[in-house]
Amino acid sequence: MAILQKPMSFSLMGILAASCLLLIALWAQEADALPINSQCKLEVSNFQQPYIVNRTFMLAQEASLADNNTDVRLIGEELFRGVNVKDQCYLMKQVLNFTLEDVLLPQSDRFQPYMQEVVSFLTKLSNQLSPCHISGNDQHIQKNVRELKETVKQLGESGEIKAIGELDLLFMSLRKACI
Amino acid sequence: MMPKHCFLGLLIVFLTGATETQPAHVSLKPQKVQFQSRNFHNVLHWQPGSPLASNGSIYFVQYKMYGQRQWKDKTDCWGTTVLFCDLTNETLDPYEPYYGRVMMAWAGSHSAWTRTTRFTPWWETKLDPPAVTITRVNASLRVFLRPPELPNRNQTGKNTSMENYYNLVYRVFIINNSLEKEQKAYEGTQRAVEMEGLTPHSSYCVVAEMYQPMFDRRSPRSKERCVQIP
């Protein structure tokens, strides 16, 4: 009996251990996934400061006066095509960082005094989004972002002006995607 | 010598001809083409390019959302003789940027298009005050607010209130007449507000405004509504 029981309890232990491991693995995966999603988030208070909202819209309006290309839009339907709602904040993070580094910094001596204030506001948002990542495949997101970047690059300086003219859309999209 | 003169003469004729047609062409173009937006009703307005051409001229209107390649004809204003065109239904999403443009035809020729600047209804619209009615129930006041008439929303905004869709709130102020003091009594999206704890034997007046919190912009104020607390 003792000989028979031993392997049985052994296998029972094995099953227990295996299911425990499975549970731990599942839990770990969930714990891994949770902070990732919640960190793609901006406080609603960021979007409730009328002074900087007005400045952002005024800057966009001023730049849009210099943008005569009404056919091409950077932040619109195409940018979000095929991107899940829950991944849109991550997408906007990429667009925000590109806009800051490759558009606003090179153009930073123009459109004063708005530019300086809006850049520091957007930099703050970018810092808040620095822990925002997504797990898994982000190729289709990167593809949409790449298309936006290429459009700006192709248009050259007027592409940069176009991007500044869309800061109101950038602002509204960040708000919609991240709060 | 002769051919050279001829060439110069031709050149002069050509140049003056060009400079003569150019201003005529430019002056036919409609001027000051712009949206005037009130309570999200978006009406395109313009002026004739030349006062000479204002009689017997007709206008053609097109519009599109920013980023679209194709301009769309506004059929109601295709060959219109008036100087405005209601594009409310074509510019229904308040958060989207739009363009409009106008061309003029007169005495067998037509002008180039004159385009508006980029127009985002939410940023540019001017709001009217809400309509306010009040009723007294014992020592408290009920205030009913009605927003200015806003356009019917398209499909995207159907499952949210008018106030939330347009990001609007009401602000209600109460004035105690004996103290001549004004207080903000309410800010929010509800259309019915109750005010309690009013002092007996005194009179109160209520005014309200529409408010866009994101831009810190307010409408003019509503008419004062007053009541005596017994």
Side-chain angles (χ1 to χ4, degrees):
Chain A
M1 276 304 271
I3 300 158
L4 259 171
Q5 236 172 0
K6 209 173 182 181
M8 231 177 93
S9 69
F10 208 79
S11 68
L12 205 71
M13 281 284 278
I15 288 165
L16 264 173
S19 46
C20 245
L21 272 172
L22 195 72
L23 272 173
I24 286 168
L26 278 171
W27 174 79
Q29 204 173 38
E30 194 156 23
D32 208 31
L34 263 176
I36 278 170
N37 279 336
S38 61
Q39 280 175 7
C40 287
K41 211 165 166 46
L42 290 169
E43 288 300 318
V44 66
S45 59
N46 286 308
F47 302 94
Q48 290 172 334
Q49 303 157 24
Y51 178 80
I52 198 65
V53 181
N54 276 299
R55 289 286 161 156
T56 308
F57 273 68
M58 274 143 92
L59 174 56
Q61 188 172 35
E62 203 164 301
S64 78
L65 294 178
D67 179 9
N68 288 320
N69 183 345
T70 63
D71 297 354
V72 177
R73 175 167 168 178
L74 304 170
I75 298 174
E77 236 177 285
E78 272 170 54
L79 178 63
F80 298 101
R81 188 160 294 157
V83 180
N84 276 333
V85 174
K86 67 174 179 54
D87 295 336
Q88 288 186 357
C89 185
Y90 176 75
L91 167 78
M92 287 314 297
K93 173 194 163 163
Q94 316 288 318
V95 177
L96 172 64
N97 288 347
F98 166 73
T99 306
L100 274 168
E101 286 156 29
D102 293 338
V103 174
L104 297 179
L105 287 183
Q107 295 284 343
S108 58
D109 35 344
R110 296 184 67 177
F111 304 112
Q112 294 298 349
Y114 308 129
M115 183 61 92
Q116 200 181 344
E117 294 169 321
V118 173
V119 165
S120 63
F121 169 67
L122 293 179
T123 305
K124 199 179 77 185
L125 296 188
S126 166
N127 291 339
Q128 287 180 33
L129 285 176
S130 64
C132 166
H133 301 282
I134 57 164
S135 50
N137 192 338
D138 68 345
Q139 269 182 6
H140 62 296
I141 297 175
Q142 296 307 343
K143 182 177 151 280
N144 290 10
V145 175
R146 200 164 52 240
E147 276 166 11
L148 179 144
K149 289 181 183 176
E150 277 164 11
T151 307
V152 174
K153 295 270 144 82
Q154 266 170 23
L155 294 172
E157 171 133 14
S158 62
E160 291 172 8
I161 300 298
K162 179 174 282 296
I164 300 170
E166 292 192 22
L167 283 177
D168 56 338
L169 300 174
L170 177 77
F171 176 90
M172 293 300 282
S173 303
L174 276 167
R175 178 177 179 270
K176 198 174 160 198
C178 302
I179 63 172
Chain B
M1 219 41 195
M2 269 305 274
K4 205 174 180 184
H5 263 133
C6 258
F7 177 69
L8 264 176
L10 265 174
L11 197 66
I12 286 162
V13 166
F14 178 74
L15 279 175
T16 51
T19 45
E20 256 165 30
T21 52
Q22 196 59 27
H25 185 69
V26 166
S27 70
L28 271 182
K29 271 182 76 176
Q31 304 289 304
K32 295 186 181 161
V33 181
Q34 56 189 348
F35 281 97
Q36 285 176 22
S37 179
R38 191 164 168 186
N39 305 321
F40 297 94
H41 292 273
N42 311 319
V43 182
L44 196 65
H45 286 259
W46 60 90
Q47 289 177 5
S50 149
L52 288 173
S54 55
N55 264 346
S57 53
I58 53 173
Y59 299 92
F60 302 88
V61 174
Q62 289 186 329
Y63 65 92
K64 70 172 180 179
M65 193 184 278
Y66 170 48
Q68 291 176 341
R69 285 175 209 284
Q70 292 292 321
W71 289 88
K72 297 187 188 89
D73 300 343
K74 171 63 178 168
T75 46
D76 295 352
C77 310
W78 199 250
T80 183
T81 53
V82 294
L83 299 175
F84 60 88
C85 176
D86 190 340
L87 289 174
T88 303
N89 289 328
E90 288 71 26
T91 53
L92 265 186
D93 189 331
Y95 307 105
E96 288 292 346
Y98 297 97
Y99 285 105
R101 65 179 190 179
V102 185
M103 177 180 80
M104 177 195 168
W106 180 69
S109 62
H110 63 85
S111 73
W113 293 98
T114 310
R115 173 171 66 66
T116 62
T117 55
R118 197 178 298 170
F119 167 71
T120 306
W122 191 50
W123 165 247
E124 291 187 40
T125 203
K126 299 233 176 345
L127 290 165
D128 281 336
V132 179
T133 50
I134 57 174
T135 51
R136 183 184 61 80
V137 181
N138 300 323
S140 64
L141 261 183
R142 280 194 194 136
V143 180
F144 297 96
L145 302 151
R146 207 180 63 236
E149 209 183 298
L150 303 167
N152 283 326
R153 292 158 287 170
N154 53 8
Q155 287 304 318
T156 54
K158 276 285 191 290
N159 45 11
T160 174
S161 76
M162 206 71 149
E163 289 80 357
N164 284 327
Y165 177 67
Y166 285 110
N167 261 291
L168 301 174
V169 299
Y170 301 101
R171 275 182 160 181
V172 179
F173 301 88
I174 187 161
I175 303 141
N176 181 336
N177 283 351
S178 53
L179 299 173
E180 290 189 356
K181 214 175 86 180
E182 179 187 299
Q183 257 189 316
K184 186 165 87 181
Y186 177 72
E187 180 171 326
T189 54
Q190 282 176 49
R191 294 188 185 189
V193 184
E194 183 134 353
M195 292 177 190
E196 287 163 328
L198 303 177
T199 318
H201 318 301
S202 48
S203 67
Y204 287 92
C205 293
V206 171
V207 291
E209 64 192 22
M210 300 302 302
Y211 183 62
Q212 293 179 284
M214 251 176 110
F215 299 131
D216 186 30
R217 273 199 218 150
R218 65 210 67 210
S219 74
R221 289 190 158 194
S222 68
K223 281 206 191 91
E224 263 186 16
R225 299 278 174 230
C226 300
V227 73
Q228 176 80 33
I229 307 291

